[in-house]
Amino acid sequence: MDRREALKLTLLAGAGLAAGGQSAHAAVCEGDGTPMQFIPKKPADPQAHVNDIEKYPKCPYCGMDRKQFHHSRMLIQYSDDLADGTCSLHCAAISLSLNIDREPKAIWAGDNAAAGDIKPLVEVDKATFLVGSKIPGVMTARSKVAYGNADAAKAAQAANGGELTDFNGALLAAYTDMAKDVARIRKLRAERRKKMMEQQGKAMEHHH
């Protein structure tokens, strides 16, 4: 791809149109519920990971504050230099599935091996993830915590339990947990509805 073509794609993406052949459909798709409307909205930035919390203060998928969730936050840099800053692996997994054609160039996670009030970012390929420990999950019941240092990950596992894995393992767990979380919510809802029906039934009996 020559530079002019690349620039054109960047401009199209910046204007809220998808890159390449999809741009013709953009007008039709705008806001109609298709993934088109989930294109990262911030301008392209090759240095997206520098001061990422200032640039991407809120998670675009759930609205949560990334400074508050600095330890679980993630940042995805796509091949067109558009970036998504999310609150968690859960929301990063949503971004990756919606932007499948955009190709992630780099993915970062908050490094829980580092000290400090705001955890620095670490590239996920250099991180070890602790899945399913006692540490509370963000946007999911089963936590997935990134450590830029394998020894820190092992120490966290010794203290909190869970399984150690790489980013691919953690991402697989995130997608699996989306199904489990949905199933759990539906079950709770069904139980709530059943309880309400029973209470209504009792109230009717009481009435008679």
Side-chain angles (χ1 to χ4, degrees):
M1 187 191 291
D2 68 2
R3 276 192 57 188
R4 208 185 64 203
E5 186 66 11
L7 182 67
K8 194 174 85 181
L9 293 186
T10 309
L11 291 173
L12 281 172
L17 305 174
Q22 293 173 311
S23 56
H25 304 301
V28 183
C29 294
E30 217 167 320
D32 73 350
T34 61
M36 274 299 205
Q37 66 189 11
F38 295 109
I39 298 169
K41 299 291 188 283
K42 300 277 169 125
D45 179 358
Q47 294 287 302
H49 61 292
V50 179
N51 299 327
D52 72 296
I53 292 177
E54 282 171 40
K55 290 174 188 170
Y56 311 97
K58 294 263 188 283
C59 177
Y61 299 98
C62 70
M64 277 176 15
D65 186 306
R66 291 181 72 245
K67 188 172 184 181
Q68 191 182 339
F69 291 92
H70 62 95
H71 58 287
S72 63
R73 82 189 189 282
M74 290 195 61
L75 181 78
I76 304 163
Q77 178 94 57
Y78 288 105
S79 54
D80 53 8
D81 279 334
L82 290 182
D84 246 353
T86 68
C87 68
S88 60
L89 179 56
H90 171 95
C91 288
I94 294 171
S95 177
L96 288 164
S97 60
L98 288 170
N99 292 285
I100 203 93
D101 296 336
R102 194 153 260 111
E103 286 174 32
K105 184 159 69 172
I107 304 174
W108 289 271
D111 180 3
N112 286 271
D117 293 337
I118 300 288
K119 301 292 183 206
L121 291 173
V122 59
E123 287 202 51
V124 293
D125 293 337
K126 296 175 184 157
T128 303
F129 286 78
L130 179 60
V131 176
S133 71
K134 287 185 298 198
I135 299 163
V138 176
M139 293 294 292
T140 181
R142 186 165 63 139
S143 65
K144 297 147 200 83
V145 185
Y147 297 89
N149 173 309
D151 290 337
K154 282 177 196 146
Q157 182 188 34
N160 301 290
E163 301 281 322
L164 295 176
T165 184
D166 61 3
F167 175 65
N168 287 338
L171 186 63
L172 179 62
Y175 283 120
T176 305
D177 286 354
M178 282 188 199
K180 287 182 184 162
D181 290 337
V182 167
R184 202 179 61 249
I185 290 163
R186 293 184 69 212
K187 189 174 165 220
L188 286 171
R189 198 170 164 200
E191 283 167 5
R192 259 207 321 267
R193 200 182 291 127
K194 196 175 153 198
K195 209 171 272 174
M196 269 175 59
M197 299 285 276
E198 283 169 6
Q199 282 170 349
Q200 280 173 352
K202 279 182 191 154
M204 292 288 283
E205 282 168 29
H206 197 72
H207 218 62
H208 293 309

